[in-house]
DNA sequence: TGATATTGATCAGTATGCTGACTATCAGTA
DNA sequence: TACTGATAGTCAGCATACTGATCAATATCA
């Protein structure tokens, strides 16, 4: 019988669990209330003004049904705006607000600190290697989840 | 601005997302309906007959409030039994059923196949190195989540 | 012993994430 | 143009995960 510690799936779940806990703790210490998912969405909307929800989902590999709720909460917090697209009446264009921009700027140190903390058991070289291997495994498995990563159409 | 791909937290989430999708697909192909979490709980109950829920949670690093629902569903499926402990009337003892044992035996090839698939982009050596680095990072961050890994009391 | 603290389990509430279904709209084509 | 298929977004339902609270039972110690 294989031990849990020999199962990449188990290790993935555990590392992700710690990563989320660290992120939330750092962000809360900085005085904000934003989840990892909300942060990624907000940063991506800022970098791609006016994008629609499906494009956003593709850029950060979320399921389109998950995005709906995330967007709802970001709008609720006043960090982004959602308005109908003029080109496609099915689509919604997403735009960051001034407050969203402010939040993003002030929260960045906490986010970067969280990334360091979740790798604190590794040397700099090991951290780089872990990220490289994760990127490689993810690239090979990209199409295996319902929410694959997609490039922006531009 | 850091890219998502430079964020270990983002990579962790993405790898876990793929790992779960692969697990569910392989298990469903084998004709079963069991989540990664349910599998880990079932295997751990089999290996530690009569353990209580808190001990189970510690062994696989789940939150104790999450365990309740997982156990409910395993009982519902007839794979385990939950009964009051004789030593401590607050606690419940968990025991695998014959059907649980049968399911575990028949599902194992699918689970092992899933572990291979989620590492398919990596060489054997790289897969080992990824697991080593994950274990190391997890060990250093164990106490940072609400559900740290705990040894069994025995 | 009796007061206090701790522990095992559960619950309510919130936030991902998924499947599958549905509506509205758009795009391509016969 | 009318039909067909695809697409954007939403929703219901289910399963993790977490926070914080509660209840019952156990442990601890003055």
């Amino acid at each position: 019988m294989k031990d849990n510690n020999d199962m990449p799936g188990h290790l993935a779940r555990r590392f992700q669990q710690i990563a989320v806990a660290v992120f939330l703790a750092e962000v809360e210490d900085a005085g904000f209330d934003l989840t990892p998912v909300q942060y990624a969405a907000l940063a991506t909307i800022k970098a791609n003004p006016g994008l629609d929800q499906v494009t956003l989902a593709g850029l950060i590999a979320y399921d389109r049904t998950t995005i709906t709720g995330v967007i709802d909460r970001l709008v609720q917090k006043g960090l982004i705006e959602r308005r109908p697209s003029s080109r496609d009446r099915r689509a919604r264009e997403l735009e960051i607000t001034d407050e969203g921009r402010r939040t993003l700027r002030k929260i960045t140190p906490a986010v970067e600190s969280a990334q360091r903390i979740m790798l604190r058991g590794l040397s700099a070289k090991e951290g780089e290697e872990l990220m490289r291997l994760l990127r490689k495994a993810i690239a090979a498995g990209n199409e295996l989840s319902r929410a694959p990563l997609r490039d922006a159409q531009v």
Side-chain angles (χ1 to χ4, degrees), chain A residues 95-107:
Chain A
E95 201 84 47
I96 192 168
T97 64
D98 285 346
E99 182 171 349
R101 233 177 289 270
R102 232 179 349 259
T103 296
L104 210 45
R105 195 168 51 242
K106 289 200 279 186
I107 213 178

Side-chain angles (χ1 to χ4, degrees), chain A residues 17-38:
Chain A
Q17 181 184 43
I18 291 168
V20 171
V22 168
F23 184 100
L24 292 175
E26 287 301 297
V27 164
E28 191 189 344
D29 281 359
F32 292 93
D33 170 32
L34 211 65
T35 67
V37 170
Q38 289 166 15

Side-chain angles (χ1 to χ4, degrees), chain A residues 37-54:
Chain A
V37 170
Q38 289 166 15
Y39 171 81
L42 187 58
T44 304
I45 291 167
K46 185 197 167 201
N48 301 270
L51 84 175
D52 63 292
Q53 295 184 192
V54 164

Side-chain angles (χ1 to χ4, degrees), chain A residues 16 22 49-50 66-67 71 79 86 91 99 115 121 151:
Chain A
Q16 150 77 355
V22 168
T66 302
I67 279 286
I71 297 296
L79 304 180
S86 48
E99 182 171 349
Q115 309 303 310
D151 286 339

Side-chain angles (χ1 to χ4, degrees), chain A residues 36-148:
Chain A
V37 170
Q38 289 166 15
Y39 171 81
L42 187 58
T44 304
I45 291 167
K46 185 197 167 201
N48 301 270
L51 84 175
D52 63 292
Q53 295 184 192
V54 164
T55 304
L56 170 60
L59 286 172
I60 46 187
Y62 291 5
D63 191 276
R64 70 187 193 287
T65 64
T66 302
I67 279 286
T68 301
V70 175
I71 297 296
D72 282 348
R73 286 179 280 276
L74 286 174
V75 170
Q76 171 76 27
K77 291 178 180 176
L79 304 180
I80 64 169
E81 273 180 11
R82 167 166 49 184
R83 53 167 182 271
S85 164
S86 48
R87 299 181 316 265
D88 185 338
R89 300 207 332 259
R90 291 169 303 180
R92 315 299 179 85
E93 286 176 0
L94 305 173
E95 201 84 47
I96 192 168
T97 64
D98 285 346
E99 182 171 349
R101 233 177 289 270
R102 232 179 349 259
T103 296
L104 210 45
R105 195 168 51 242
K106 289 200 279 186
I107 213 178
T108 296
V111 172
E112 289 175 351
S113 162
Q115 309 303 310
R116 278 192 303 276
I117 291 173
M118 65 186 73
L119 294 183
R120 70 177 183 182
L122 306 181
S123 69
K125 181 177 281 188
E126 284 176 326
E128 280 304 320
E129 178 67 0
L130 174 59
M131 288 199 280
R132 184 185 76 82
L133 294 172
L134 284 174
R135 276 191 290 265
K136 196 170 173 184
I138 289 165
N142 190 44
E143 300 304 324
L144 300 178
S145 80
R146 169 162 146 165

